Amino acid sequence: MFLPEKVQIEASLIGRMIRFGDRAHEIISKISAEHFYSERHRVIFEAVAKIAASASPNLIAVSSELERSGKIAFIGGAAYLMEIADAAFSMVGTEAEISAVLDAYKRRQTI
């Protein structure tokens, strides 16, 4: 049996948080690390949220935070962060993506 997941959408949300760091709080206020299926996305989300508590997240800050915590290799390196940030073109559709991730999380919890 496969658990419900939205890994591509998780990556999209995190990419938006990195690329549009000044608006990361809009996502952080509605979703948390536990809602992510992918462990590497949980790790990145936590790093972004930590940075967002005092500054606007960006690619360099997130990469540095993951390096500092020894988790950069686990998440796929700075190349993965660049890949997901580069794929984020706008904040349009963010609410729908948050809903999709939350729905998959709720379905996993009921299984």
Side-chain angles (χ1 to χ4, degrees):
M1 175 204 279
F2 294 101
L3 292 175
E5 48 86 5
K6 299 289 182 187
V7 177
Q8 294 291 3
I9 294 174
E10 292 175 6
S12 176
L13 284 172
I14 293 169
R16 290 171 189 208
M17 291 169 61
I18 294 169
R19 182 145 189 175
F20 306 102
D22 59 326
R23 296 184 61 194
H25 59 79
E26 295 174 24
I27 297 170
I28 294 167
S29 69
K30 297 175 180 154
I31 199 166
S32 66
E34 74 176 316
H35 295 122
F36 289 85
Y37 177 80
S38 167
E39 181 65 30
R40 82 173 168 173
H41 291 157
R42 284 187 219 134
V43 168
I44 300 168
F45 181 91
E46 289 171 348
V48 172
K50 181 177 180 181
I51 294 163
S54 61
S56 183
N58 61 56
L59 186 61
I60 294 169
V62 175
S63 182
S64 294
E65 177 60 32
L66 290 167
E67 288 259 354
R68 196 173 11 266
S69 67
K71 296 179 181 175
I72 192 76
F74 174 77
I75 63 95
Y80 183 68
L81 294 176
M82 283 190 286
E83 177 185 325
I84 62 175
D86 283 348
F89 295 108
S90 77
M91 292 293 284
V92 174
T94 300
E95 293 297 324
E97 289 188 350
I98 290 170
S99 293
V101 170
L102 290 173
D103 180 60
Y105 169 77
K106 289 173 189 169
R107 291 186 315 180
R108 286 193 303 275
Q109 297 306 303
T110 59
I111 292 177

